[in-house]
């Protein structure tokens, strides 16, 4: 894969975004699948094959990319066991464990907002 030019619009925007603490946190957690993966790994250590089964709707490439990105960001730990066949396990790091109460609150907020939206949709739709 080619490296991005340092003066590209994407690179300049990335530098601006990661300069703010809040947007840096969102940048680390952003993406369609990271929060779902973190949620599953919060419950227990999982092997790659278990994650693949759990997220059958994600392509293998995307799952691998998300796991690599989270490993590079220090959110998950990847352990490879020298066995035949090879066994790879993923678990949350202490850094990611610090997010658990925040993600729980965010989930509760999302649940509340979803219910409000459903109630509003039920009231506004003719029966």
């Amino acid at each position: 894969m080619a490296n991005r030019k340092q003066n590209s619009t994407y690179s300049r925007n990335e530098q601006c975004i990661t300069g703010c603490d809040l947007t840096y946190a969102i940048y680390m957690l952003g993406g369609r699948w990271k929060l779902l993966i973190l949620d599953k790994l919060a419950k227990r250590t999982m092997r790659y094959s278990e994650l693949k089964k759990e997220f059958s709707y994600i392509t293998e490439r995307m799952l691998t990319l998300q796991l690599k990105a989270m490993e590079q960001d220090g959110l998950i730990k990847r352990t490879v066991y020298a066995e035949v066949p090879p066994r790879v396990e993923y678990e949350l790091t202490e850094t990611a464990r610090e997010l658990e109460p925040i993600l729980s609150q965010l989930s509760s907020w999302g649940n509340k907002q979803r219910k409000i939206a459903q109630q509003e949709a039920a009231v506004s739709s003719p029966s």
Side-chain angles (χ1 to χ4, degrees):
M1 185 184 299
N3 290 333
R4 237 183 0 249
K5 292 189 274 183
Q6 290 302 311
N7 63 348
S8 71
T9 303
Y10 187 92
S11 293
R12 288 192 314 253
N13 289 345
E14 188 176 51
Q15 289 169 359
C16 178
I17 288 170
T18 58
C20 167
D21 295 338
L22 180 59
T23 53
Y24 182 74
I26 298 301
Y27 175 78
M28 284 181 66
L29 300 173
R32 185 172 284 176
W33 310 114
K34 287 182 181 178
L35 291 175
L36 292 170
I37 294 168
L38 288 173
D39 184 56
K40 292 297 176 191
L41 291 176
K43 295 171 180 71
R44 64 184 179 92
T45 299
M46 297 179 79
R47 295 177 67 169
Y48 179 80
S49 59
E50 294 172 313
L51 286 167
K52 202 166 66 171
K53 267 186 215 166
E54 189 71 40
F55 301 109
S56 60
Y57 42 86
I58 303 175
T59 64
E60 283 190 45
R61 180 178 184 277
M62 182 54 68
L63 178 59
T64 301
L65 288 172
Q66 296 294 288
L67 291 169
K68 282 182 182 179
M70 289 190 295
E71 184 181 11
Q72 287 175 345
D73 289 338
L75 296 173
I76 63 172
K77 178 183 171 196
R78 179 178 186 260
T79 306
V80 180
Y81 295 92
E83 301 173 351
V84 177
R87 178 170 52 119
V88 179
E89 291 183 343
Y90 295 90
E91 62 184 309
L92 295 185
T93 62
E94 287 305 313
T95 300
R97 294 254 177 236
E98 291 176 27
L99 288 168
E100 287 182 291
I102 298 164
L103 296 178
S104 177
Q105 285 182 324
L106 189 58
S107 179
S108 296
W109 181 84
N111 182 28
K112 178 182 170 186
Q113 299 309 311
R114 182 195 318 254
K115 286 179 182 176
I116 290 169
Q118 288 171 343
Q119 288 170 351
E120 289 174 356
V123 168
S124 66
S125 68
S127 297

